[in-house]
């Protein structure tokens, strides 16, 4: 075994509750060779930040000037030698300069089977309401690369679940979250193991 294999480093971008972020942090807590040195958060009051503090991970509170009109975030990510950027419920658009600086190194999770039920304004409960309204027989979650269009990058992984007559937006949200928790960390791990 090559003992000089470089540690893989993840940065997570988050906006709200951060339950996926916490699940990812816990998954990698005991794994050697993979670390999470940095979380970017678009909301100074986000619940996610409580978890970040608990795990002693550096938190960077984003502002739009830094993200959209400077290279500060790119520099921060490069200084910390980040290999993979994980969006986990991040609600701001990612600027082109960041996508260009990290080609095929930024992924997102979406609570539906893209390309359906994605795009601007499609998040949280709205997605599940639309799925029920359209009498879909199944829904699920999608993990995909991030490109310059909302929810349109190349799909990496999807998991499905059937919609029952008894389902509500809330029950679907809970089941989709379970799928997200089960699969997002594993997909991240696979991608990291395949990076040079
Ligand atoms: C997740 O369900 C994720 O799929 C969704 O936001 C939620 C974040 O929850 N993302 C999107 O809708 C992206 N378009 P969390 O903050 O508890 O992880």
């Amino acid at each position: 075994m090559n003992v000089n294999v470089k540690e893989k480093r993840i940065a997570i971008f988050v906006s709200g509750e951060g339950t996926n972020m916490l699940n990812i942090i816990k998954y990698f807590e005991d794994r050697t060779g993979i670390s999470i040195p940095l979380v970017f958060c678009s909301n100074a009051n986000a619940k996610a930040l409580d978890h970040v503090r608990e795990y002693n991970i550096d938190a960077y509170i984003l502002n739009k000037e830094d993200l959209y009109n400077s290279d500060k975030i790119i520099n921060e990510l490069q200084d910390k030698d980040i290999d993979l950027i994980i969006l986990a419920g991040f609600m701001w658009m990612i600027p082109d300069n960041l996508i260009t600086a990290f080609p095929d190194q930024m992924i997102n999770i979406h609570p539906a089977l893209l390309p359906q039920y994605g795009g601007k304004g499609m998040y949280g409960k709205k997605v599940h309401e639309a799925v029920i309204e359209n009498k879909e027989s199944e829904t699920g979650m999608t993990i995909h690369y991030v490109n310059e269009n909302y929810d349109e990058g190349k799909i990496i992984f999807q998991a499905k679940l059937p919609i029952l007559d008894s389902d509500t937006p809330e029950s679907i949200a809970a089941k989709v979250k379970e799928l997200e928790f089960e699969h997002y960390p594993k997909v991240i791990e696979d991608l990291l193991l395949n990076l040079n």
Side-chain angles (χ1 to χ4, degrees):
M1 193 178 96
N2 182 358
V3 287
N4 293 319
V5 174
K6 179 188 157 293
E7 181 187 67
K8 300 290 192 295
R9 294 160 73 82
I10 301 169
I12 302 179
F13 280 57
V14 68
S15 293
E17 288 251 345
T19 62
N20 273 286
M21 179 204 73
L22 182 60
N23 181 53
I24 293 164
I25 291 172
K26 285 183 174 163
Y27 183 88
F28 288 112
E29 199 180 1
D30 299 325
R31 283 179 168 65
T32 49
I34 294 174
S35 73
I36 306 175
L38 190 55
V39 166
F40 289 88
C41 184
S42 64
N43 172 6
N45 300 313
K47 199 160 167 221
L49 288 172
D50 295 341
H51 306 308
V52 176
R53 288 185 199 105
E54 201 181 310
Y55 281 85
N56 277 325
I57 297 171
D58 282 350
Y60 188 119
I61 310 299
L62 285 166
N63 63 65
K64 294 203 168 165
E65 182 61 27
D66 286 357
L67 185 62
Y68 297 113
N69 293 324
S70 83
D71 283 333
K72 267 192 188 172
I73 308 306
I74 294 173
N75 294 340
E76 195 72 27
L77 288 159
Q78 288 172 341
D79 282 354
K80 288 265 187 345
D81 209 6
I82 296 299
D83 297 288
L84 191 64
I85 298 169
I86 309 296
L87 308 189
F90 185 68
M91 295 302 161
W92 289 2
M93 189 85 183
I94 297 291
D96 287 355
N97 63 341
L98 190 46
I99 294 168
T100 308
F102 287 86
D104 288 338
Q105 286 171 279
M106 193 185 314
I107 66 173
N108 181 40
I109 192 161
H110 186 78
L113 297 172
L114 293 174
Q116 287 186 296
Y117 302 104
K120 207 163 166 40
M122 267 295 170
Y123 59 88
K125 211 171 143 192
K126 287 184 199 170
V127 176
H128 311 307
E129 283 168 351
V131 163
I132 289 181
E133 176 116 347
N134 290 337
K135 301 195 184 338
E136 298 289 354
S137 59
E138 59 181 18
T139 186
M141 51 75 82
T142 302
I143 297 167
H144 64 94
Y145 287 108
V146 176
N147 71 10
E148 52 291 336
N149 300 319
Y150 248 90
D151 298 332
E152 282 185 20
K154 187 173 161 228
I155 291 172
I156 301 166
F157 181 87
Q158 290 187 309
K160 295 180 181 178
L161 57 88
I163 297 179
L164 313 175
D165 288 345
S166 55
D167 269 325
T168 61
E170 291 74 19
S171 70
I172 295 177
K175 287 188 261 188
V176 168
K177 264 281 167 72
E178 268 180 42
L179 285 182
E180 294 187 337
F181 286 180
E182 181 184 348
H183 295 290
Y184 208 10
K186 289 183 194 155
V187 168
I188 293 166
E189 190 171 32
D190 277 355
L191 288 175
L192 287 171
L193 294 176
N194 287 310
L195 280 179
N196 292 321

